[in-house]
Amino acid sequence: MAMGRGSAATVSVLILCLLVLQTQMVQSVTYTVGGAGGWTFNTAKWPAGKRFRAGDVLVFNYSPQAHNVVRVNALGYKSCKTPKGAQVFRSGKDQIKLQKGPNYFICNFVGHCESNMKISVNAM
C-alpha cells in the first residue's frame, strides 16, 4: 500500500514531535538542595552558578522533626512569612518539580528562614 505525500508528511511531523518531546524529557535534571549536607541553615546561596530549567526536580533531604519546605511567593521569601494557602512539604525527602520562572522555598520553623534556610531558583 503506497503512502501519498500528505500521509508521509504527517508521519514525518509526528515522528519529529515525538523526538522533540523525548529530548525535552531527557533534559530534566535532579538536584539535591544543599548537596551532601541537605536542606539546612545557610543554604540561600546554594543555587548560585547552577542553571535550572522548568521540569528539573529539587530534592530536599532533612529531618522532618527539625525542618520543612514551604513553596512561597516572592514576598514570602523576602519576609520569611508563609502566605495563606502555601504548599507545605513535611516528608524529609521531598521531590519538587520546578515551574518556569521564579521558584521560592523556605523553612517556616521559627527562626529558620531568617537563618538563610531558604532558596530562590529561576527556572528557564
Side-chain angles (χ1 to χ4, degrees), residues 1-35:
M1 178 165 151
M3 249 199 263
R5 286 186 180 159
S7 296
T10 302
V11 170
S12 296
V13 169
L14 182 60
I15 290 171
L16 181 62
C17 288
L18 289 172
L19 288 172
V20 168
L21 180 63
Q22 182 181 9
T23 300
Q24 289 177 345
M25 289 172 32
V26 170
Q27 289 180 349
S28 68
V29 176
T30 299
Y31 294 93
T32 300
V33 175

Side-chain angles (χ1 to χ4, degrees), residues 28-52:
S28 68
V29 176
T30 299
Y31 294 93
T32 300
V33 175
W39 176 236
T40 189
F41 300 106
N42 297 312
T43 54
K45 293 182 181 179
W46 172 81
K50 296 173 181 67
R51 292 192 69 187
F52 298 97

Side-chain angles (χ1 to χ4, degrees):
M1 178 165 151
M3 249 199 263
R5 286 186 180 159
S7 296
T10 302
V11 170
S12 296
V13 169
L14 182 60
I15 290 171
L16 181 62
C17 288
L18 289 172
L19 288 172
V20 168
L21 180 63
Q22 182 181 9
T23 300
Q24 289 177 345
M25 289 172 32
V26 170
Q27 289 180 349
S28 68
V29 176
T30 299
Y31 294 93
T32 300
V33 175
W39 176 236
T40 189
F41 300 106
N42 297 312
T43 54
K45 293 182 181 179
W46 172 81
K50 296 173 181 67
R51 292 192 69 187
F52 298 97
R53 295 184 180 273
D56 285 352
V57 176
L58 298 183
V59 177
F60 292 82
N61 293 320
Y62 58 93
S63 167
Q65 292 78 27
H67 306 295
N68 66 10
V69 179
V70 184
R71 185 189 291 265
V72 296
N73 56 24
L75 181 59
Y77 179 80
K78 289 176 187 170
S79 68
C80 287
K81 303 269 189 246
T82 302
K84 187 173 187 167
Q87 194 172 10
V88 180
F89 301 87
R90 298 180 177 96
S91 76
K93 296 186 182 307
D94 307 313
Q95 296 187 18
I96 304 171
K97 188 179 285 192
L98 292 175
Q99 300 170 353
K100 185 172 184 162
N103 294 260
Y104 303 99
F105 304 95
I106 67 171
C107 176
N108 73 354
F109 280 41
V110 176
H112 292 202
C113 179
E114 292 83 358
S115 296
N116 284 320
M117 194 165 179
K118 62 183 185 174
I119 61 169
S120 169
V121 172
N122 190 32
M124 299 298 175

